[in-house]
Amino acid sequence: MRILLWHVHGSWTDAFVRGRHEYLLPVLPEGGPWGLGRAGRDWPESVREVDLAALDAEAVDAVVLQRPEEIDEVVRTLGRLPGVDLPAVFVEHNTPKGNFPNTSHPLAEQSNIPVVHVTHFNRLAWDNGFAPTTVIEHGIPDPGRLYTGELPELGVVVNEPVRRGRVTGTDLLPAFASVAPLQVFGMKTDGLAAATGIDAARLTSRGDLKTRDLHRELARCRVYVHPMRWTSLGLSLLEAMHLGMPVVVLATTEAPRAVPQEAGIVSADVDELLRCAERLIANPDEARRRGLAAREAALERYGLGKFQDRWDELLADLHTRPRHSINQRPDERILVPARERKTP
């Protein structure tokens, strides 16, 4: 199949485009969120950059949407309506924001476009209305067991920790820095030590490294810390597990399902997390053993092959499922639209 999608979430796209199809990524001279294209990624030749305005509408077999605005953009440029005369699916990467748990999904009032959640927690957390939903869990291209743990330090991967604050658990970092020095990887990590009051000797901002460099440098840290309060399921956590790192994880959203206790610790008790981090820093053999358990669990649940098989099944089904006129509910599902529902 020839599948149109925008390069929105780099790590997820990295797994998706390694499948068995041809992938069409819009590109613009200025790049940006609507024209990033391949962005220099080392992706297969089946991933093609396209000028959406010049693309033959009939050259697209399906569209994978990731932002509600993309529906109008497809109509404007291709003259085809996703879910009606162009098979379409919407991937929801994020947890709901705002009035949780009463937040309606942007596609809740329609039934033509299935919503694919990347975690079971997301599917549960959103009010999906009468949109058909399913879950396809993440798949990770295996970086290999690169873990050395040679540095008695804690590794953290987070984008924009200063701006995002409590969402990413930035306020918890000083407590972890009291256990061991932190290496923090990700976009816009400059100024993090000053913003958190952590002594510069206890926190090193490594910045946004290329994937291979990130994996190699992160794997030198003895323990991976995942302090996120409200994220779908950080792919950096799954990557760290693939690397063979022991993990210390805040027990929020999907994390308790994703991480077995043998891999380190999953807890909402910050003191318990700190004690485990301290113990693993002091015991390299235990850290290595728990890292092996983390890798085994990640390969079993979040392997790339399983991810691609599930997507192949869904894409094949898109061409066989009945379509309804826009905003029309299936006859067999008489549900009250989200805007009319009463909440307790």
Side-chain angles (χ1 to χ4, degrees):
M1 294 176 62
R2 292 163 297 186
I3 301 169
L4 173 68
L5 76 154
W6 276 267
H7 183 172
V8 177
H9 293 271
S11 294
W12 180 88
T13 308
D14 186 48
F16 184 75
V17 300
R18 296 177 187 276
R20 306 167 180 88
H21 306 282
E22 185 176 353
Y23 305 91
L24 311 177
L25 272 58
V27 65
L28 295 171
E30 65 274 19
W34 291 94
L36 197 57
R38 294 172 62 107
R41 297 269 187 156
D42 182 20
W43 284 340
E45 293 182 2
S46 55
V47 184
R48 294 201 296 114
E49 294 183 337
V50 297
D51 178 354
L52 192 58
L55 186 64
D56 179 1
E58 298 305 315
V60 179
D61 295 317
V63 58
V64 173
L65 306 162
Q66 300 170 79
R67 298 166 293 186
E69 300 84 1
E70 293 174 4
I71 297 173
D72 289 340
E73 184 66 7
V74 171
V75 173
R76 185 184 70 83
T77 55
L78 299 184
R80 299 176 69 183
L81 181 57
V84 175
D85 54 10
L86 176 62
V89 62
F90 187 97
V91 180
E92 181 52 70
H93 295 280
N94 301 314
T95 48
K97 297 175 177 62
N99 184 26
F100 174 75
N102 301 314
T103 307
S104 292
H105 193 274
L107 272 67
E109 299 295 327
Q110 60 81 53
S111 60
N112 296 298
I113 302 173
V115 177
V116 176
H117 292 285
V118 297
T119 70
H120 292 275
F121 180 87
N122 279 13
R123 188 185 196 184
L124 177 70
W126 282 100
D127 178 353
N128 295 294
F130 48 85
T133 64
T134 191
V135 176
I136 299 182
E137 296 183 290
H138 290 294
I140 302 293
D142 183 14
R145 183 174 177 264
L146 303 182
Y147 178 70
T148 67
E150 63 199 79
L151 302 177
E153 301 184 4
L154 304 173
V156 181
V157 181
V158 57
N159 290 325
E160 300 187 68
V162 176
R163 179 183 68 82
R164 297 167 70 193
R166 284 180 57 83
V167 170
T168 55
T170 303
D171 58 300
L172 303 176
L173 295 182
F176 283 105
S178 70
V179 170
L182 303 178
Q183 291 203 31
V184 183
F185 304 82
M187 295 186 291
K188 298 184 179 179
T189 57
D190 291 341
L192 179 58
T196 55
I198 299 174
D199 188 291
R202 305 289 290 180
L203 188 152
T204 303
S205 294
R206 300 296 305 274
D208 186 23
L209 303 182
K210 290 187 178 296
T211 302
R212 290 180 180 176
D213 295 335
L214 167 63
H215 290 161
R216 184 184 65 250
E217 292 300 309
L218 181 62
R220 298 178 66 211
C221 297
R222 187 154 302 159
V223 181
Y224 179 79
V225 173
H226 194 69
M228 313 299 177
R229 276 194 178 88
W230 193 244
T231 184
S232 177
L233 179 61
L235 287 177
S236 58
L237 168 61
L238 303 182
E239 290 173 351
M241 292 171 68
H242 273 78
L243 292 169
M245 299 187 71
V247 294
V248 171
V249 184
L250 208 61
T252 57
T253 62
E254 188 80 356
R257 171 179 167 83
V259 184
Q261 290 289 353
E262 314 87 74
I265 188 171
V266 184
S267 177
D269 182 340
V270 175
D271 291 335
E272 188 177 19
L273 296 175
L274 295 173
R275 288 193 297 270
C276 182
E278 186 173 28
R279 187 178 72 248
L280 293 173
I281 286 289
N283 294 274
D285 289 341
E286 181 184 354
R288 190 173 299 105
R289 185 175 68 254
R290 291 189 177 273
L292 286 172
R295 176 168 167 77
E296 182 178 347
L299 288 171
E300 170 63 26
R301 174 161 286 165
Y302 302 104
L304 187 61
K306 181 181 293 187
F307 171 82
Q308 291 174 346
D309 288 345
R310 287 284 289 112
W311 268 104
D312 281 350
E313 293 171 4
L314 179 65
L315 292 168
D317 288 346
L318 285 182
H319 286 270
T320 59
R321 67 185 301 269
R323 294 182 180 76
H324 308 272
S325 61
I326 197 70
N327 289 329
Q328 177 183 338
R329 304 179 218 168
D331 293 339
E332 68 274 13
R333 298 185 65 194
I334 307 300
L335 300 178
V336 181
R339 61 176 176 274
E340 297 177 10
R341 292 192 196 124
K342 294 180 180 179
T343 55

